[in-house]
Amino acid sequence: MSEGDSVGDSVHGKPSVVFRFFTRLGQIYQSWLDKSTPYTAVRWVVTLGLSFIYMIRVYLLQGWYIVTYALGIYHLNLFIAFLSPKVDPSLMEDSDEGPSLPTKQNEEFRPFIRRLPEFKFWHSATKGILVAMICTFFDAFNVPVFWPILVMYFVMLFCITMKRQIKVRHNEQTLDCAGKVDCLGALGRDASTIGLQFSVEWVAFHIPTIGQML
């Protein structure tokens, strides 16, 4: 057998031990994630515990503030995606058709759907804390910076972002109320039409009987 054939067999043959090890490790990791899905409170308690440990470590080391700032920005982006709807109402308002509201009795109004589900929010936040914790073991990430400026900038960014999210949620609630009012109005009009039609049919049916009585 030539050298080329042996190389081809090693490439196209069975997976290597390393590949099978990481594949099995990924399967075990995914299995544990699936088992932890129903335990929302426990998952978030563990994440808050990791955050507390990380903050204590940064306080004791008196460094790695830029890593902490990057972690805060990352968590803020996740939180914004968690609060934001999957479909932006501002884009729907800019369209020619406008926002879609229920117009029929059997049509159900669509509930609020998040852009980032709760489980993905927790998973990404926890991975971010673990990555930041690992970065504190390397001096290359300990960039000297004046941390009060980072704190002020983060607080300003947080306030501006939350103000925008509150405004968006207020617009969504107004849209929901308008949709419900339109549905009630449509149901009332349908009920009035059915009642009027029933009255006309009742009078038309009993007119001969009333004439005979007279």
Side-chain angles (χ1 to χ4, degrees):
M1 182 180 293
S2 62
E3 183 179 358
D5 295 336
S6 61
V7 173
D9 292 339
S10 62
V11 173
H12 299 287
K14 295 182 179 180
S16 62
V17 178
V18 177
F19 178 78
R20 285 183 293 176
F21 171 75
F22 282 104
T23 301
R24 180 57 180 169
L25 189 63
Q27 293 175 353
I28 296 175
Y29 178 71
Q30 186 63 41
S31 176
W32 278 101
L33 285 180
D34 296 338
K35 292 179 180 179
S36 65
T37 302
Y39 306 100
T40 305
V42 177
R43 289 190 281 105
W44 282 106
V45 167
V46 172
T47 302
L48 291 177
L50 290 176
S51 301
F52 185 70
I53 295 174
Y54 173 78
M55 297 304 295
I56 291 178
R57 178 172 174 78
V58 171
Y59 175 76
L60 295 177
L61 294 176
Q62 294 294 317
W64 287 270
Y65 299 119
I66 194 68
V67 176
T68 306
Y69 175 74
L71 178 63
I73 294 296
Y74 179 67
H75 282 176
L76 180 60
N77 290 331
L78 293 176
F79 187 61
I80 292 172
F82 176 72
L83 296 179
S84 302
K86 190 173 183 180
V87 179
D88 192 355
S90 60
L91 298 178
M92 296 176 62
E93 292 177 358
D94 295 338
S95 61
D96 297 334
E97 298 179 357
S100 58
L101 295 175
T103 56
K104 298 180 182 179
Q105 181 178 357
N106 58 354
E107 184 177 356
E108 184 180 359
F109 191 77
R110 295 181 180 179
F112 177 77
I113 302 177
R114 301 184 186 277
R115 185 190 304 174
L116 182 66
E118 180 272 333
F119 185 81
K120 291 184 178 180
F121 176 34
W122 165 81
H123 190 212
S124 300
T126 306
K127 288 193 300 183
I129 296 173
L130 294 177
V131 171
M133 188 86 70
I134 295 174
C135 291
T136 57
F137 289 95
F138 300 94
D139 292 333
F141 298 101
N142 189 13
V143 180
V145 64
F146 189 60
W147 65 267
I149 295 180
L150 297 180
V151 174
M152 292 178 58
Y153 183 73
F154 180 79
V155 171
M156 291 176 57
L157 183 63
F158 179 81
C159 294
I160 294 174
T161 305
M162 288 300 103
K163 181 179 179 181
R164 179 180 178 276
Q165 290 299 318
I166 291 173
K167 183 178 179 180
V168 171
R169 289 294 297 159
H170 177 72
N171 294 334
E172 291 175 1
Q173 292 177 359
T174 304
L175 183 62
D176 292 346
C177 293
K180 293 178 181 178
V181 169
D182 289 344
C183 285
L184 292 177
L187 292 177
R189 289 192 298 270
D190 293 340
S192 301
T193 304
I194 294 173
L196 180 60
Q197 183 179 0
F198 176 77
S199 300
V200 172
E201 292 178 355
W202 186 89
V203 172
F205 179 78
H206 288 83
I207 281 179
T209 305
I210 296 174
Q212 293 176 2
M213 293 176 60
L214 295 176

